[in-house]
Amino acid sequence: RLLPGVKSAVVLIKNYKNTPIQQNSAEFKIARYAAGRDYHLVMKNRLEELMRFIQKEDPAIQSYAGVDSRPIAERSLALKAGAGFRGKNTMVIKPGLGSYFFIGVLLTTHAFPEDEPLSWDCGQCRLCLEACPTGALTEPYHLDATRCIAYRTIEKKSPLTAGELIETKGWLFGCDICQ
């Protein structure tokens, strides 16, 4: 529906692991991804730059750019494109980088060759599951979003209950604990 005749999804990732961590106090914290410029704009600009390059090569090619605010399954596409593997915390993990990256997708009417998914996994590691203070990671590869600090501090439409506020451990916007 976003792009009639789509044949490929080009997946881009942008590292934010080395973004200077803002000075979070022990009492109040903001997730690392929110420390810089709005990543929706950063990724959209990069995707549009790629779109212009592709259309310069072949003006008949149509494209649609999206980040996670669009109805695109960017994590699934990133896994299929080999950008990383699915972690037990449900995030895409790239060896050597972790999950500290943004994902952008460019849908296009051009048929690009497919990449291979990574054949990698977390093995016996359970650090993310054990670290989650709210038990949102109910078991490997399963997230109860309603218990997730990031959901509660960003997406939830009603005020936090007293118990939820305590469970946030000072995170005001998002959470980096399972990363």
PDB file of all heavy atoms in Angstrom, residues 109-135:
ATOM      1  N   THR A 109      10.890   0.259  -6.299  1.00  0.00           N
ATOM      2  CA  THR A 109      10.351  -0.563  -7.385  1.00  0.00           C
ATOM      3  C   THR A 109      11.455  -1.277  -8.160  1.00  0.00           C
ATOM      4  O   THR A 109      11.165  -2.037  -9.077  1.00  0.00           O
ATOM      5  CB  THR A 109       9.517   0.302  -8.356  1.00  0.00           C
ATOM      6  OG1 THR A 109      10.325   1.378  -8.836  1.00  0.00           O
ATOM      7  CG2 THR A 109       8.269   0.847  -7.678  1.00  0.00           C
ATOM      8  N   HIS A 110      12.704  -1.044  -7.788  1.00  0.00           N
ATOM      9  CA  HIS A 110      13.834  -1.725  -8.427  1.00  0.00           C
ATOM     10  C   HIS A 110      14.111  -3.027  -7.681  1.00  0.00           C
ATOM     11  O   HIS A 110      14.099  -3.070  -6.459  1.00  0.00           O
ATOM     12  CB  HIS A 110      15.081  -0.846  -8.404  1.00  0.00           C
ATOM     13  CG  HIS A 110      16.263  -1.460  -9.070  1.00  0.00           C
ATOM     14  ND1 HIS A 110      16.377  -1.560 -10.431  1.00  0.00           N
ATOM     15  CD2 HIS A 110      17.374  -2.032  -8.544  1.00  0.00           C
ATOM     16  CE1 HIS A 110      17.521  -2.151 -10.729  1.00  0.00           C
ATOM     17  NE2 HIS A 110      18.144  -2.456  -9.594  1.00  0.00           N
ATOM     18  N   ALA A 111      14.390  -4.096  -8.415  1.00  0.00           N
ATOM     19  CA  ALA A 111      14.690  -5.397  -7.800  1.00  0.00           C
ATOM     20  C   ALA A 111      16.189  -5.498  -7.526  1.00  0.00           C
ATOM     21  O   ALA A 111      16.971  -5.781  -8.425  1.00  0.00           O
ATOM     22  CB  ALA A 111      14.229  -6.530  -8.702  1.00  0.00           C
ATOM     23  N   PHE A 112      16.582  -5.237  -6.303  1.00  0.00           N
ATOM     24  CA  PHE A 112      17.973  -5.418  -5.890  1.00  0.00           C
ATOM     25  C   PHE A 112      18.197  -6.871  -5.487  1.00  0.00           C
ATOM     26  O   PHE A 112      17.269  -7.534  -5.031  1.00  0.00           O
ATOM     27  CB  PHE A 112      18.305  -4.508  -4.690  1.00  0.00           C
ATOM     28  CG  PHE A 112      18.433  -3.057  -5.044  1.00  0.00           C
ATOM     29  CD1 PHE A 112      17.415  -2.160  -4.755  1.00  0.00           C
ATOM     30  CD2 PHE A 112      19.577  -2.577  -5.663  1.00  0.00           C
ATOM     31  CE1 PHE A 112      17.526  -0.822  -5.072  1.00  0.00           C
ATOM     32  CE2 PHE A 112      19.708  -1.233  -5.981  1.00  0.00           C
ATOM     33  CZ  PHE A 112      18.681  -0.360  -5.685  1.00  0.00           C
ATOM     34  N   PRO A 113      19.431  -7.373  -5.606  1.00  0.00           N
ATOM     35  CA  PRO A 113      19.694  -8.734  -5.131  1.00  0.00           C
ATOM     36  C   PRO A 113      19.513  -8.815  -3.610  1.00  0.00           C
ATOM     37  O   PRO A 113      19.790  -7.851  -2.890  1.00  0.00           O
ATOM     38  CB  PRO A 113      21.154  -8.993  -5.517  1.00  0.00           C
ATOM     39  CG  PRO A 113      21.691  -7.718  -6.054  1.00  0.00           C
ATOM     40  CD  PRO A 113      20.588  -6.728  -6.183  1.00  0.00           C
ATOM     41  N   GLU A 114      19.035  -9.960  -3.149  1.00  0.00           N
ATOM     42  CA  GLU A 114      18.805 -10.146  -1.712  1.00  0.00           C
ATOM     43  C   GLU A 114      20.100 -10.437  -0.969  1.00  0.00           C
ATOM     44  O   GLU A 114      20.992 -11.090  -1.497  1.00  0.00           O
ATOM     45  CB  GLU A 114      17.838 -11.312  -1.475  1.00  0.00           C
ATOM     46  CG  GLU A 114      16.421 -11.013  -1.871  1.00  0.00           C
ATOM     47  CD  GLU A 114      15.464 -12.121  -1.459  1.00  0.00           C
ATOM     48  OE1 GLU A 114      15.673 -12.752  -0.406  1.00  0.00           O
ATOM     49  OE2 GLU A 114      14.505 -12.344  -2.202  1.00  0.00           O
ATOM     50  N   ASP A 115      20.176  -9.939   0.257  1.00  0.00           N
ATOM     51  CA  ASP A 115      21.275 -10.280   1.155  1.00  0.00           C
ATOM     52  C   ASP A 115      20.865 -11.485   1.985  1.00  0.00           C
ATOM     53  O   ASP A 115      19.683 -11.800   2.102  1.00  0.00           O
ATOM     54  CB  ASP A 115      21.593  -9.102   2.084  1.00  0.00           C
ATOM     55  CG  ASP A 115      22.258  -7.952   1.352  1.00  0.00           C
ATOM     56  OD1 ASP A 115      23.088  -8.219   0.473  1.00  0.00           O
ATOM     57  OD2 ASP A 115      21.936  -6.796   1.662  1.00  0.00           O
ATOM     58  N   GLU A 116      21.844 -12.121   2.582  1.00  0.00           N
ATOM     59  CA  GLU A 116      21.585 -13.285   3.426  1.00  0.00           C
ATOM     60  C   GLU A 116      21.412 -12.853   4.880  1.00  0.00           C
ATOM     61  O   GLU A 116      22.201 -12.040   5.378  1.00  0.00           O
ATOM     62  CB  GLU A 116      22.748 -14.276   3.339  1.00  0.00           C
ATOM     63  CG  GLU A 116      22.896 -14.936   1.982  1.00  0.00           C
ATOM     64  CD  GLU A 116      21.733 -15.862   1.658  1.00  0.00           C
ATOM     65  OE1 GLU A 116      21.269 -16.582   2.565  1.00  0.00           O
ATOM     66  OE2 GLU A 116      21.288 -15.844   0.497  1.00  0.00           O
ATOM     67  N   PRO A 117      20.422 -13.413   5.575  1.00  0.00           N
ATOM     68  CA  PRO A 117      20.307 -13.142   7.017  1.00  0.00           C
ATOM     69  C   PRO A 117      21.522 -13.697   7.757  1.00  0.00           C
ATOM     70  O   PRO A 117      22.165 -14.643   7.295  1.00  0.00           O
ATOM     71  CB  PRO A 117      19.039 -13.899   7.426  1.00  0.00           C
ATOM     72  CG  PRO A 117      18.308 -14.169   6.155  1.00  0.00           C
ATOM     73  CD  PRO A 117      19.341 -14.229   5.066  1.00  0.00           C
ATOM     74  N   LEU A 118      21.849 -13.093   8.895  1.00  0.00           N
ATOM     75  CA  LEU A 118      22.951 -13.600   9.713  1.00  0.00           C
ATOM     76  C   LEU A 118      22.540 -14.902  10.384  1.00  0.00           C
ATOM     77  O   LEU A 118      21.427 -15.011  10.882  1.00  0.00           O
ATOM     78  CB  LEU A 118      23.329 -12.603  10.807  1.00  0.00           C
ATOM     79  CG  LEU A 118      24.058 -11.341  10.414  1.00  0.00           C
ATOM     80  CD1 LEU A 118      24.396 -10.528  11.661  1.00  0.00           C
ATOM     81  CD2 LEU A 118      25.328 -11.651   9.662  1.00  0.00           C
ATOM     82  N   SER A 119      23.428 -15.858  10.398  1.00  0.00           N
ATOM     83  CA  SER A 119      23.162 -17.084  11.144  1.00  0.00           C
ATOM     84  C   SER A 119      23.929 -16.983  12.460  1.00  0.00           C
ATOM     85  O   SER A 119      25.017 -17.519  12.618  1.00  0.00           O
ATOM     86  CB  SER A 119      23.577 -18.314  10.332  1.00  0.00           C
ATOM     87  OG  SER A 119      24.946 -18.240   9.993  1.00  0.00           O
ATOM     88  N   TRP A 120      23.381 -16.235  13.370  1.00  0.00           N
ATOM     89  CA  TRP A 120      24.007 -15.912  14.633  1.00  0.00           C
ATOM     90  C   TRP A 120      22.888 -15.805  15.658  1.00  0.00           C
ATOM     91  O   TRP A 120      21.754 -15.492  15.316  1.00  0.00           O
ATOM     92  CB  TRP A 120      24.702 -14.557  14.487  1.00  0.00           C
ATOM     93  CG  TRP A 120      25.695 -14.188  15.533  1.00  0.00           C
ATOM     94  CD1 TRP A 120      25.456 -14.040  16.862  1.00  0.00           C
ATOM     95  CD2 TRP A 120      27.063 -13.873  15.350  1.00  0.00           C
ATOM     96  NE1 TRP A 120      26.584 -13.653  17.515  1.00  0.00           N
ATOM     97  CE2 TRP A 120      27.596 -13.542  16.601  1.00  0.00           C
ATOM     98  CE3 TRP A 120      27.898 -13.822  14.248  1.00  0.00           C
ATOM     99  CZ2 TRP A 120      28.921 -13.174  16.793  1.00  0.00           C
ATOM    100  CZ3 TRP A 120      29.204 -13.452  14.432  1.00  0.00           C
ATOM    101  CH2 TRP A 120      29.722 -13.140  15.685  1.00  0.00           C
ATOM    102  N   ASP A 121      23.200 -16.068  16.908  1.00  0.00           N
ATOM    103  CA  ASP A 121      22.202 -15.869  17.949  1.00  0.00           C
ATOM    104  C   ASP A 121      22.877 -15.571  19.276  1.00  0.00           C
ATOM    105  O   ASP A 121      24.099 -15.496  19.360  1.00  0.00           O
ATOM    106  CB  ASP A 121      21.247 -17.056  18.057  1.00  0.00           C
ATOM    107  CG  ASP A 121      21.932 -18.358  18.454  1.00  0.00           C
ATOM    108  OD1 ASP A 121      22.880 -18.330  19.270  1.00  0.00           O
ATOM    109  OD2 ASP A 121      21.518 -19.415  17.957  1.00  0.00           O
ATOM    110  N   CYS A 122      22.084 -15.424  20.306  1.00  0.00           N
ATOM    111  CA  CYS A 122      22.590 -15.064  21.633  1.00  0.00           C
ATOM    112  C   CYS A 122      23.173 -16.246  22.402  1.00  0.00           C
ATOM    113  O   CYS A 122      23.725 -16.044  23.488  1.00  0.00           O
ATOM    114  CB  CYS A 122      21.456 -14.468  22.469  1.00  0.00           C
ATOM    115  SG  CYS A 122      20.780 -12.936  21.829  1.00  0.00           S
ATOM    116  N   GLY A 123      23.024 -17.435  21.875  1.00  0.00           N
ATOM    117  CA  GLY A 123      23.519 -18.603  22.586  1.00  0.00           C
ATOM    118  C   GLY A 123      22.849 -18.737  23.941  1.00  0.00           C
ATOM    119  O   GLY A 123      21.641 -18.582  24.065  1.00  0.00           O
ATOM    120  N   GLN A 124      23.635 -18.980  24.972  1.00  0.00           N
ATOM    121  CA  GLN A 124      23.103 -19.175  26.318  1.00  0.00           C
ATOM    122  C   GLN A 124      22.959 -17.865  27.105  1.00  0.00           C
ATOM    123  O   GLN A 124      22.492 -17.866  28.238  1.00  0.00           O
ATOM    124  CB  GLN A 124      24.003 -20.138  27.106  1.00  0.00           C
ATOM    125  CG  GLN A 124      24.100 -21.524  26.486  1.00  0.00           C
ATOM    126  CD  GLN A 124      22.734 -22.194  26.383  1.00  0.00           C
ATOM    127  OE1 GLN A 124      21.973 -22.204  27.335  1.00  0.00           O
ATOM    128  NE2 GLN A 124      22.428 -22.730  25.214  1.00  0.00           N
ATOM    129  N   CYS A 125      23.369 -16.762  26.515  1.00  0.00           N
ATOM    130  CA  CYS A 125      23.326 -15.473  27.217  1.00  0.00           C
ATOM    131  C   CYS A 125      21.888 -15.112  27.597  1.00  0.00           C
ATOM    132  O   CYS A 125      20.964 -15.252  26.793  1.00  0.00           O
ATOM    133  CB  CYS A 125      23.924 -14.371  26.343  1.00  0.00           C
ATOM    134  SG  CYS A 125      23.946 -12.760  27.159  1.00  0.00           S
ATOM    135  N   ARG A 126      21.719 -14.626  28.808  1.00  0.00           N
ATOM    136  CA  ARG A 126      20.413 -14.202  29.318  1.00  0.00           C
ATOM    137  C   ARG A 126      20.511 -12.840  30.011  1.00  0.00           C
ATOM    138  O   ARG A 126      19.630 -12.460  30.778  1.00  0.00           O
ATOM    139  CB  ARG A 126      19.861 -15.232  30.299  1.00  0.00           C
ATOM    140  CG  ARG A 126      19.598 -16.588  29.698  1.00  0.00           C
ATOM    141  CD  ARG A 126      19.047 -17.576  30.724  1.00  0.00           C
ATOM    142  NE  ARG A 126      17.916 -17.067  31.466  1.00  0.00           N
ATOM    143  CZ  ARG A 126      16.638 -17.111  31.068  1.00  0.00           C
ATOM    144  NH1 ARG A 126      16.346 -17.640  29.902  1.00  0.00           N
ATOM    145  NH2 ARG A 126      15.669 -16.617  31.819  1.00  0.00           N
ATOM    146  N   LEU A 127      21.588 -12.097  29.763  1.00  0.00           N
ATOM    147  CA  LEU A 127      21.814 -10.847  30.473  1.00  0.00           C
ATOM    148  C   LEU A 127      20.654  -9.866  30.327  1.00  0.00           C
ATOM    149  O   LEU A 127      20.250  -9.223  31.303  1.00  0.00           O
ATOM    150  CB  LEU A 127      23.124 -10.198  30.028  1.00  0.00           C
ATOM    151  CG  LEU A 127      24.403 -10.920  30.433  1.00  0.00           C
ATOM    152  CD1 LEU A 127      25.616 -10.231  29.823  1.00  0.00           C
ATOM    153  CD2 LEU A 127      24.524 -10.988  31.947  1.00  0.00           C
ATOM    154  N   CYS A 128      20.113  -9.720  29.136  1.00  0.00           N
ATOM    155  CA  CYS A 128      19.016  -8.768  28.934  1.00  0.00           C
ATOM    156  C   CYS A 128      17.778  -9.195  29.718  1.00  0.00           C
ATOM    157  O   CYS A 128      17.097  -8.358  30.317  1.00  0.00           O
ATOM    158  CB  CYS A 128      18.694  -8.600  27.457  1.00  0.00           C
ATOM    159  SG  CYS A 128      18.106 -10.101  26.621  1.00  0.00           S
ATOM    160  N   LEU A 129      17.490 -10.491  29.720  1.00  0.00           N
ATOM    161  CA  LEU A 129      16.319 -10.996  30.435  1.00  0.00           C
ATOM    162  C   LEU A 129      16.449 -10.759  31.931  1.00  0.00           C
ATOM    163  O   LEU A 129      15.495 -10.363  32.607  1.00  0.00           O
ATOM    164  CB  LEU A 129      16.131 -12.492  30.160  1.00  0.00           C
ATOM    165  CG  LEU A 129      15.957 -12.894  28.692  1.00  0.00           C
ATOM    166  CD1 LEU A 129      16.029 -14.397  28.530  1.00  0.00           C
ATOM    167  CD2 LEU A 129      14.668 -12.354  28.148  1.00  0.00           C
ATOM    168  N   GLU A 130      17.633 -10.984  32.446  1.00  0.00           N
ATOM    169  CA  GLU A 130      17.873 -10.832  33.881  1.00  0.00           C
ATOM    170  C   GLU A 130      17.943  -9.360  34.297  1.00  0.00           C
ATOM    171  O   GLU A 130      17.630  -9.025  35.439  1.00  0.00           O
ATOM    172  CB  GLU A 130      19.156 -11.559  34.260  1.00  0.00           C
ATOM    173  CG  GLU A 130      19.039 -13.066  34.087  1.00  0.00           C
ATOM    174  CD  GLU A 130      20.369 -13.803  34.075  1.00  0.00           C
ATOM    175  OE1 GLU A 130      21.418 -13.166  34.280  1.00  0.00           O
ATOM    176  OE2 GLU A 130      20.345 -15.029  33.838  1.00  0.00           O
ATOM    177  N   ALA A 131      18.326  -8.488  33.375  1.00  0.00           N
ATOM    178  CA  ALA A 131      18.494  -7.071  33.708  1.00  0.00           C
ATOM    179  C   ALA A 131      17.181  -6.294  33.743  1.00  0.00           C
ATOM    180  O   ALA A 131      17.083  -5.287  34.437  1.00  0.00           O
ATOM    181  CB  ALA A 131      19.444  -6.415  32.702  1.00  0.00           C
ATOM    182  N   CYS A 132      16.170  -6.740  33.007  1.00  0.00           N
ATOM    183  CA  CYS A 132      14.921  -5.980  32.892  1.00  0.00           C
ATOM    184  C   CYS A 132      14.234  -5.876  34.259  1.00  0.00           C
ATOM    185  O   CYS A 132      13.805  -6.882  34.816  1.00  0.00           O
ATOM    186  CB  CYS A 132      13.991  -6.638  31.880  1.00  0.00           C
ATOM    187  SG  CYS A 132      12.438  -5.730  31.670  1.00  0.00           S
ATOM    188  N   PRO A 133      14.112  -4.648  34.793  1.00  0.00           N
ATOM    189  CA  PRO A 133      13.573  -4.493  36.147  1.00  0.00           C
ATOM    190  C   PRO A 133      12.064  -4.714  36.261  1.00  0.00           C
ATOM    191  O   PRO A 133      11.552  -4.893  37.362  1.00  0.00           O
ATOM    192  CB  PRO A 133      13.927  -3.050  36.501  1.00  0.00           C
ATOM    193  CG  PRO A 133      14.024  -2.352  35.202  1.00  0.00           C
ATOM    194  CD  PRO A 133      14.529  -3.377  34.224  1.00  0.00           C
ATOM    195  N   THR A 134      11.356  -4.691  35.146  1.00  0.00           N
ATOM    196  CA  THR A 134       9.897  -4.838  35.195  1.00  0.00           C
ATOM    197  C   THR A 134       9.412  -6.213  34.755  1.00  0.00           C
ATOM    198  O   THR A 134       8.216  -6.471  34.784  1.00  0.00           O
ATOM    199  CB  THR A 134       9.223  -3.777  34.297  1.00  0.00           C
ATOM    200  OG1 THR A 134       9.653  -3.993  32.949  1.00  0.00           O
ATOM    201  CG2 THR A 134       9.566  -2.371  34.746  1.00  0.00           C
ATOM    202  N   GLY A 135      10.340  -7.069  34.318  1.00  0.00           N
ATOM    203  CA  GLY A 135       9.939  -8.382  33.825  1.00  0.00           C
ATOM    204  C   GLY A 135       9.224  -8.317  32.489  1.00  0.00           C
ATOM    205  O   GLY A 135       8.482  -9.218  32.129  1.00  0.00           O
TER     206      GLY A 135
END
